[in-house]
Amino acid sequence: MTATLIAEQILNGLQFGVMLFLMSAGLTLIFGVMGLINLAHGSLYMVGAFACAAVAMASGSFWLGLAASLAAAAAVGAIIEIVVIKRLYGRDHLDQVLATFALILVFSEGVRWIFGAFPLYLNIPDSLAGAVLLPGDIHYPLYRLLIIAVGLAIAASLAGLISFTRLGIQIRAGQTDREMIAVLGVDINRLYTQVFALGAALAGLAGALVGTIQSVEVGMGEPVLILAFVVIVIGGIGSVKGALVGAVLVGVTDTVGRFVPTSPGFRGFHGPVVSDGRRIFSRVDVDLRSDGTRPLPSARRSFWSSVCSPIMISEERLNLILAILLVAVPVGASLVDQPYILTLATRVVILGMAGIGLNLVLGYGGLVSFGHAAYFGAGGYVAGILAHHALNADPIIEFPFIIHGTAEMLVIWPFAILAGALLALCIGFLSLRTSGVYFIMITLAFAQMLYYFSVSWPSYGGEDGLPTYVRSGFPGVSTMQPLPFFGICLALLFLVIWLTSRVINSHFGMALQAARQNPGRAANVGVEVFRTRLTAFVISGAIAALAGALFTELYRFVSPTMFNWHTSGEIIVFVILGGVARLYGPIVGAACFVLLEQILGGITEHWQFWLGMGLVIVVLFAKGGIIGLLVREKASA
């Protein structure tokens, strides 16, 4: 690369970093003051971009659009803070993650509903359309220089606001001791709304400014959100100055890293992975104020539980009913020749199995892993790669020894389980040294690294995915027939349920739950907390990987979306929807998710909007999940 090209890429990285700062500054303030993990922050970025595009196209003025982006994002932010977010401040991180994940569905589908699925385009104002000659004979776009200048000006203004104004004093006091400033007469609810609206306005402004460089489309804020989390971890949660430094580091690293020469087998890989990798190793040994633990289900009785009390039954009896239904419904569908229902039932079984894996560490271990797609995808890719090489009759590797592919499920499953377990061992060894929000972000970062890796791996389809065309074989069974394949998946599900039950009711399971409730006391009575959690994490990863291998067999296709953070979010949805720390909870959650997808999808193409609304309601008003509404708790001795 020439010196001019390097300088241009550094400037592009600085511009990207400034845009990341506008996203990250609001995000870090929101978490620092409110202790809230807001996954929907990227949706506010998208709202600002669409508001700017709509007003600019209607009025012909980009500047009116820019003002509209600030107003729209701030207004939307204030509304969701008052209606939804305010009810999450006293909740743990798991509820916050699920509720804001549901808001992503609401915003994405709502924007698609209003503006359509096609992207909008913003034009750079004529007065800013030219280029500026910089020292070194560098011609750099004037508009990008404006973004840098605006971002730095906002950074200085935010620093002044926080350091020298009454609102800034309240914000800093809120980061230190929220209860004390409330006692001193500060309207804490008003402060929270102001901070959230300010953060939303900054995100909306970032979306509007970037909308002229790239298209304005649904979901545009989600990739930026991941990098914004990187920034606030590097810079320190609650620190605006740290967010600026972190944003510039990530922006330059991500931009320049994309131009580093790669090996022929990979493309476009360095930038995202370097950014996520910086995030992973920057905070591995940090201590947190929050341990991310969660009360036991018996302590989380809701108003709706008392309403439903006349129909409550014991959990053991409910589990038996669910097991019978898992057998009866698919068999009935087969008898009436409904293969599509069989396919849906198989999907429920597989997704429920992935949820059971997560539930082991989330429900019983109190570890909010937002990266379980890593193990689900690893199992899927192991199955896909082995089947692909068997189909093409070419070896996977030839040196130092030859390894061939296979199309036998009994061979594929152990390899998938081993891959998931080893991956969970490596990720858990690093991530379990943190807790709370850092644990959530680090597990998310690892999954995203694998996502970018798979996208950049053309040998196995890259972003287009890898078809396997036929299902692998199983002795004595025609796996291409829906009912026999469902039977295989169901048998494995019952085996996983049995093993999970044995684990959680063993001495190890008691130690895991003790570490969840009070790690300090558990350590004092001799529980090796780190080793216990790591062991559970490995078992969890192995179960999720097995589910991933079956998912690949079901659809005879594997793609990078199996690693995507949306997949991790959906697995969490299964656990929460069905009931945390409930043996059959993830299965109920997966069944409800698939049913809602089919029912709502048959009514409207915007079914994800209503699904998101439903998930928000579940989080806010049905804390114990569906099983928690139906199960009668055992009387305490």
Side-chain angles (χ1 to χ4, degrees):
M1 292 190 295
T2 65
T4 300
L5 180 59
I6 292 174
E8 288 177 351
Q9 294 311 314
I10 290 175
L11 285 172
N12 286 336
L14 180 59
Q15 176 260 308
F16 184 39
V18 166
M19 185 274 296
L20 284 178
F21 166 74
L22 294 176
M23 274 283 289
S24 307
L27 196 61
T28 196
L29 283 176
I30 289 170
F31 186 85
V33 175
M34 307 173 187
L36 176 80
I37 300 176
N38 181 23
L39 296 182
H41 202 69
S43 298
L44 298 170
Y45 173 94
M46 177 184 66
V47 166
F50 271 94
C52 181
V55 173
M57 287 190 296
S59 66
S61 171
F62 171 77
W63 304 109
L64 283 178
L66 203 61
S69 70
L70 284 165
V76 171
I79 290 170
I80 65 170
E81 194 278 335
I82 294 170
V83 175
V84 177
I85 302 299
K86 185 177 292 185
R87 293 170 170 80
L88 299 174
Y89 294 138
R91 304 285 190 88
D92 55 29
H93 292 321
L94 182 56
D95 285 343
Q96 296 172 359
V97 165
L98 181 59
T100 53
F101 177 79
L103 287 174
I104 293 175
L105 300 180
V106 172
F107 278 114
S108 295
E109 202 57 45
V111 168
R112 184 181 286 111
W113 201 342
I114 295 171
F115 294 99
F118 294 101
L120 304 180
Y121 296 94
L122 273 169
N123 295 320
I124 296 174
D126 293 337
S127 59
L128 300 173
V132 175
L133 181 61
L134 300 177
D137 197 29
I138 300 173
H139 292 269
Y140 197 72
L142 177 59
Y143 182 75
R144 289 180 181 263
L145 286 177
L146 174 69
I147 293 178
I148 295 174
V150 168
L152 294 178
I154 290 176
S157 300
L158 275 177
L161 172 72
I162 292 172
S163 300
F164 304 113
T165 67
R166 183 181 181 85
L167 177 61
I169 294 172
Q170 293 176 352
I171 290 174
R172 285 184 282 122
Q175 292 174 328
T176 305
D177 195 329
R178 303 181 194 115
E179 291 76 15
M180 181 59 70
I181 64 169
V183 171
L184 293 175
V186 175
D187 187 344
I188 194 70
N189 291 327
R190 182 179 178 183
L191 175 64
Y192 282 1
T193 303
Q194 289 174 337
V195 171
F196 201 92
L198 174 62
L202 292 175
L205 176 63
L209 290 174
V210 174
T212 58
I213 299 175
Q214 63 183 45
S215 60
V216 177
E217 56 188 344
V218 175
M220 63 182 291
E222 294 168 17
V224 182
L225 175 68
I226 302 300
L227 291 177
F229 278 126
V230 177
V231 168
I232 66 172
V233 171
I234 293 174
I237 292 176
S239 171
V240 173
K241 294 178 182 178
L244 178 61
V245 174
V248 172
L249 283 174
V250 171
V252 172
T253 302
D254 185 86
T255 303
V256 176
R258 295 175 188 272
F259 285 83
V260 176
T262 61
S263 62
F266 298 92
R267 61 180 187 274
F269 176 66
H270 287 89
V273 173
V274 168
S275 296
D276 279 352
R278 182 180 294 275
R279 165 185 175 188
I280 289 171
F281 298 109
S282 63
R283 291 283 178 161
V284 162
D285 295 311
V286 73
D287 292 326
L288 300 176
R289 292 176 293 176
S290 172
D291 62 2
T293 57
R294 183 179 182 84
L296 286 170
S298 59
R300 293 176 57 84
R301 310 303 298 161
S302 67
F303 166 77
W304 295 105
S305 296
S306 61
V307 172
C308 298
S309 59
I311 60 172
M312 283 184 173
I313 60 176
S314 68
E315 186 168 354
E316 291 78 7
R317 183 172 297 180
L318 179 61
N319 290 346
L320 178 60
I321 294 172
L322 291 172
I324 293 172
L325 288 174
L326 282 172
V327 176
V329 171
V331 171
S334 179
L335 291 176
V336 297
D337 193 24
Q338 292 290 333
Y340 184 64
I341 295 179
L342 262 176
T343 300
L344 293 180
T346 307
R347 185 167 178 237
V348 168
V349 166
I350 294 171
L351 295 178
M353 185 186 300
I356 289 173
L358 175 62
N359 197 31
L360 179 62
V361 294
L362 190 156
Y364 299 100
L367 302 170
V368 186
S369 170
F370 203 61
H372 252 57
Y375 321 115
F376 187 72
Y381 264 87
V382 167
I385 290 171
L386 289 174
H388 170 76
H389 283 278
L391 182 66
N392 294 326
D394 62 323
I396 298 174
I397 61 172
E398 298 180 357
F399 182 82
F401 43 80
I402 297 177
I403 297 180
H404 294 281
T406 179
E408 294 296 327
M409 290 185 182
L410 292 178
V411 179
I412 290 173
W413 295 343
F415 278 103
I417 291 171
L418 180 63
L422 290 176
L423 186 61
L425 177 64
C426 297
I427 294 176
F429 185 78
L430 291 173
S431 60
L432 286 170
R433 299 178 186 278
T434 69
S435 59
V437 64
Y438 287 106
F439 179 79
I440 295 171
M441 291 182 179
I442 288 175
T443 53
L444 170 62
F446 273 115
Q448 285 301 108
M449 285 179 65
L450 292 173
Y451 169 75
Y452 287 125
F453 183 90
S454 60
V455 166
S456 308
W457 202 4
S459 300
Y460 297 111
E463 61 186 346
D464 296 325
L466 178 68
T468 59
Y469 301 108
V470 296
R471 291 191 185 123
S472 301
F474 188 90
V477 176
S478 175
T479 57
M480 289 299 293
Q481 296 297 317
L483 187 59
F485 181 69
F486 170 81
I488 293 172
C489 295
L490 184 62
L492 287 174
L493 175 66
F494 283 147
L495 177 61
V496 166
I497 291 173
W498 178 78
L499 289 174
T500 303
S501 177
R502 293 295 300 271
V503 167
I504 61 179
N505 290 302
S506 66
H507 291 296
F508 170 81
M510 296 299 106
L512 179 64
Q513 294 179 66
R516 166 203 188 183
Q517 293 176 338
N518 195 315
R521 289 185 180 180
N524 288 336
V525 297
V527 175
E528 295 188 49
V529 174
F530 179 81
R531 182 177 296 182
T532 300
R533 287 176 168 175
L534 183 59
T535 303
F537 207 77
V538 170
I539 297 172
S540 174
I543 294 172
L546 176 60
L550 294 174
F551 195 81
T552 294
E553 298 288 0
L554 173 63
Y555 292 104
R556 287 161 280 170
F557 180 77
V558 60
S559 75
T561 56
M562 291 184 71
F563 287 117
N564 194 276
W565 70 288
H566 268 268
T567 303
S568 295
E570 289 178 0
I571 297 174
I572 291 179
V573 168
F574 305 150
V575 177
I576 304 295
L577 193 58
V580 177
R582 304 287 188 179
L583 190 59
Y584 277 72
I587 302 169
V588 173
C592 289
F593 187 90
V594 172
L595 282 174
L596 287 172
E597 182 181 48
Q598 297 301 313
I599 294 171
L600 295 176
I603 298 173
T604 173
E605 62 178 319
H606 304 292
W607 61 272
Q608 289 191 10
F609 177 87
W610 302 109
L611 176 62
M613 294 291 287
L615 290 176
V616 171
I617 293 172
V618 168
V619 174
L620 297 182
F621 302 109
K623 300 178 184 177
I626 295 172
I627 290 184
L629 296 177
L630 301 176
V631 165
R632 179 178 61 250
E633 296 294 341
K634 294 179 180 179
S636 57

